Amino acid sequence: MSTPRIAPLKPPYPAEIDAELTAMMPPGLEPLKLFRTLAQNPWVLRKFHLGNLLDRGAIDRRDREIVILRTCARCRSEYEWGVHVSVFAARVGLTSEQVAATLHGDADDPAWSEADAVLIRLADELHDSATIAPATWNALAERWSPAQLIELLVVAGFYHTVSFVTNALAIDLEEMAARFA
């Protein structure tokens, strides 16, 4: 465990921050270290919360998690990858082989269906070149609507941002979160 570059806030929180943190978490759970660290800047915390893409959007939650896990794995954000594996992976139907493939595999991994593989390619191409190759775009456009395609791109971008923050601030891993293996 490293020393975080900016310490997460500890309770008691100012009323405005307490309300924001409470709204971000399921009832009874302590706010994540990421959220408590962002709370050092209440404006950023609020914008981060407003930018949350985990509610019911245009894309299937399983598809969203594949993009999130692969993006975080490629960015080497053990913090965010681990939280998403522990909280969401099983809920959306990802197998342990698929979770491992987000970290150690590629689009050709046998754990992936054809549709899953194109999501992995989307995350990889955006990470590597900040764009999507024509063949990958065509495969995406065959399966997802324009609204869904935009959401997939924004999800990948948002989790690049989250990865930058968790990595650059050296946020301590959550105790309940999965680890890179």
Side-chain angles (χ1 to χ4, degrees):
M1 182 158 27
S2 61
T3 302
R5 290 179 169 165
I6 297 176
L9 289 183
K10 295 183 185 292
Y13 309 112
E16 175 186 327
I17 291 172
D18 188 54
E20 194 73 42
L21 291 172
T22 298
M24 295 174 82
M25 295 298 298
L29 291 181
E30 283 294 311
L32 295 173
K33 293 172 187 169
L34 169 61
F35 301 158
R36 292 187 295 120
T37 302
L38 292 176
Q40 293 281 7
N41 182 324
W43 180 81
V44 169
L45 178 67
R46 178 78 179 134
K47 295 298 185 180
F48 186 90
H49 185 200
L50 290 172
N52 176 351
L53 296 166
L54 295 176
D55 58 351
R56 294 209 183 270
I59 58 176
D60 179 79
R61 287 182 177 203
R62 185 178 177 281
D63 293 347
R64 180 180 6 258
E65 282 305 310
I66 290 170
V67 172
I68 291 169
L69 291 176
R70 184 59 173 187
T71 298
C72 293
R74 290 297 310 276
C75 289
R76 303 304 300 161
S77 177
E78 186 172 17
Y79 177 94
E80 194 66 13
W81 182 90
V83 168
H84 275 263
V85 167
S86 296
V87 175
F88 299 109
R91 279 190 208 171
V92 300
L94 293 174
T95 66
S96 59
E97 293 80 15
Q98 290 167 330
V99 168
T102 65
L103 188 60
H104 301 296
D106 59 23
D108 296 323
D109 194 288
W112 302 125
S113 69
E114 187 178 322
D116 296 341
V118 75
L119 294 172
I120 297 296
R121 280 195 283 287
L122 170 138
D124 287 352
E125 289 178 16
L126 286 173
H127 182 80
D128 293 341
S129 65
T131 194
I132 302 290
T136 302
W137 184 259
N138 291 338
L140 288 161
E142 288 176 9
R143 297 184 188 290
W144 289 277
S145 71
Q148 292 170 317
L149 293 168
I150 290 168
E151 189 171 329
L152 287 167
L153 296 171
V154 172
V155 164
F158 185 80
Y159 281 89
H160 266 95
T161 299
V162 172
S163 295
F164 296 163
V165 170
T166 60
N167 290 346
L169 294 180
I171 296 176
D172 284 335
L173 303 178
E174 299 288 346
E175 289 75 22
M176 58 61 162
R179 303 293 193 261
F180 284 168

